[in-house]
Amino acid sequence: MRIVFPLFDQFTSLDAIGPFEVLSRLPGAEVVFASAEPGTYCSDAGAALVADHALGDLTSCDVLVVPGGPGTRKLLHDEPFLDWVRTVHDSTQWTTSVCSGSLVLGAAGLLKGLRATSHWGCAGYFDAFGATFTAQRVVTEGKIVTAAGVSAGIDMALALAARIAGEEEAQRIQLLIEYDPQPPFDSGSPAKAPAAVLARFS
Amino acid sequence: MRIVFPLFDQFTSLDAIGPFEVLSRLPGAEVVFASAEPGTYCSDAGAALVADHALGDLTSCDVLVVPGGPGTRKLLHDEPFLDWVRTVHDSTQWTTSVCSGSLVLGAAGLLKGLRATSHWGCAGYFDAFGATFTAQRVVTEGKIVTAAGVSAGIDMALALAARIAGEEEAQRIQLLIEYDPQPPFDSGSPAKAPAAVLARFS
């Protein structure tokens, strides 16, 4: 089972590494980090990950995971990249995204008529894609699964792991990565964050 | 504020990237990935991160975050690495670890007489360090903060962010990374996992 994470400049590292840490532990998983040109790609916050495959060498995969980050904005007008997404999507069992990675799926035309989620700050993009932004942690529409912002990729990947390999396997991975979240604050969504915190984003 | 993440072969990528995604977003944060030799280090599950600083060039920092992973076992007998941890610890405001990273702090002699946490599978190591394993998500003893397995580093980093920059700043970062966890299963600790899942680890 080949799982591909495309990387690009200014991706958000947890968008990729969250689901990576779950999906890479599925039986038979082969994870590939790929990019337009193989090399090192720096995240928006300064983590450098290596993509050792070229997108052009990958025309199919079983699971596609498109991470988000500020760098997605440039991808929305990157026709070769969008073409690659469309081509690979034809072959996937699951086409997924985390955070603003769903904007890339939208720009590739894959979300027309569908509901999708993304980072809460990206809600305004979806009308232009013919899609409906839905403020849920994970949205599944056929084989397309979109996750909300950054950390939501972990929840998405566990749900996907269960679909791929069964609930017990997903639960085994959850225990392995000790995913028993206990955030010290309850400020993880616009609906829950204190007004003063939300105001910092306006 | 310099925050150093030492990397090594067979680290667990989410142990590093979870807290990185939080702490790197603190005002004035300068994050450094460092290793014995600068280069690319491959995680236990196959993600390659770049460490572009040599440990030897870093004799002090404000926050040290030691990730875990199978590679920590080798570090427990790596005297130059343990010496570096002791030296840097003398300068830190906070010395922290995620998952089996706390074994490295223990081997360096920093946990004597203290409580500490780690991945649930590592509980048996702590007697030899003169420390007491404590099954909590995050354990704070003076300036030493240890986190439980893998994903616990996110919770630890948010708590630390609040200590460093105030609760509102930590809550801002929580909202930015949309950390509103909604795991599809409740299997994230040995106390909660179904018996059949726990049995997979025996």
Side-chain angles (χ1 to χ4, degrees):
Chain A
M1 182 179 49
R2 180 183 279 174
I3 305 169
V4 174
F5 290 77
L7 296 185
F8 44 88
D9 280 325
Q10 301 285 307
F11 74 106
T12 296
S13 57
L14 186 54
D15 290 20
I17 293 298
F20 165 80
E21 208 61 82
V22 173
L23 299 176
S24 64
R25 299 179 190 280
L26 283 169
E30 177 213 357
V31 175
V32 174
F33 292 98
S35 54
E37 302 283 337
T40 298
Y41 287 80
C42 196
S43 85
D44 56 338
L49 257 82
V50 177
D52 50 13
H53 284 68
L55 295 179
D57 293 339
L58 297 164
T59 53
S60 68
C61 68
D62 301 295
V63 182
L64 172 66
V65 185
V66 182
T72 55
R73 305 308 186 278
K74 201 171 165 188
L75 296 181
L76 304 186
H77 311 286
D78 181 338
E79 279 303 324
F81 188 89
L82 298 175
D83 270 343
W84 177 83
V85 169
R86 287 179 204 109
T87 300
V88 166
H89 172 67
D90 284 342
S91 74
T92 61
Q93 291 174 40
W94 299 98
T95 294
T96 77
S97 64
V98 181
C99 197
S100 53
S102 58
L103 305 187
V104 176
L105 302 187
L110 306 187
L111 300 179
K112 275 189 191 118
L114 304 182
R115 296 175 314 123
T117 190
S118 190
H119 191 278
W120 57 270
C122 294
Y125 280 85
F126 288 82
D127 282 355
F129 304 140
T132 305
F133 175 79
T134 306
Q136 290 176 8
R137 193 78 175 154
V138 178
V139 172
T140 304
E141 288 270 35
K143 74 173 187 177
I144 297 182
V145 188
T146 53
V150 192
S151 60
I154 302 172
D155 296 327
M156 183 270 282
L158 283 171
L160 195 61
R163 297 288 288 268
I164 292 171
E167 288 201 2
E168 189 178 299
E169 193 59 33
Q171 290 169 326
R172 181 190 69 81
I173 295 170
Q174 184 180 3
L175 181 53
L176 185 67
I177 66 166
E178 209 163 340
Y179 186 49
D180 178 27
Q182 297 169 31
F185 309 106
D186 192 14
S187 183
S189 80
K192 295 174 177 177
V197 171
L198 200 53
R200 300 274 297 275
F201 290 86
S202 61
Chain B
M1 182 179 47
R2 180 184 279 174
I3 306 168
V4 174
F5 290 77
L7 297 185
F8 44 89
D9 280 325
Q10 301 285 308
F11 74 106
T12 296
S13 57
L14 185 55
D15 289 21
I17 293 298
F20 165 80
E21 208 62 82
V22 173
L23 299 175
S24 63
R25 298 178 190 280
L26 283 169
E30 176 213 359
V31 175
V32 174
F33 291 98
S35 55
E37 301 282 338
T40 297
Y41 288 80
C42 196
S43 84
D44 56 338
L49 259 82
V50 177
D52 50 13
H53 285 68
L55 295 179
D57 294 339
L58 296 164
T59 53
S60 68
C61 68
D62 300 296
V63 181
L64 173 66
V65 185
V66 181
T72 55
R73 304 309 185 277
K74 201 170 165 189
L75 295 181
L76 304 187
H77 310 287
D78 181 338
E79 279 304 323
F81 189 89
L82 297 176
D83 270 343
W84 177 83
V85 169
R86 287 179 205 110
T87 299
V88 166
H89 173 66
D90 284 341
S91 74
T92 60
Q93 290 173 42
W94 299 98
T95 294
T96 77
S97 65
V98 180
C99 197
S100 54
S102 57
L103 306 187
V104 177
L105 302 187
L110 306 187
L111 299 180
K112 274 189 192 119
L114 304 181
R115 296 175 314 122
T117 191
S118 190
H119 191 279
W120 58 270
C122 295
Y125 279 85
F126 287 83
D127 282 355
F129 304 140
T132 305
F133 175 79
T134 307
Q136 290 176 8
R137 193 78 174 154
V138 178
V139 172
T140 304
E141 287 271 37
K143 74 172 187 177
I144 297 182
V145 188
T146 52
V150 193
S151 59
I154 302 172
D155 296 327
M156 184 270 283
L158 283 170
L160 195 61
R163 297 288 289 268
I164 291 171
E167 288 201 3
E168 189 178 298
E169 193 60 33
Q171 290 169 327
R172 180 190 69 80
I173 295 169
Q174 185 179 4
L175 182 53
L176 184 67
I177 66 167
E178 209 163 341
Y179 186 49
D180 180 27
Q182 296 169 32
F185 309 106
D186 192 14
S187 182
S189 80
K192 295 174 176 177
V197 171
L198 199 54
R200 300 274 297 274
F201 290 86
S202 61

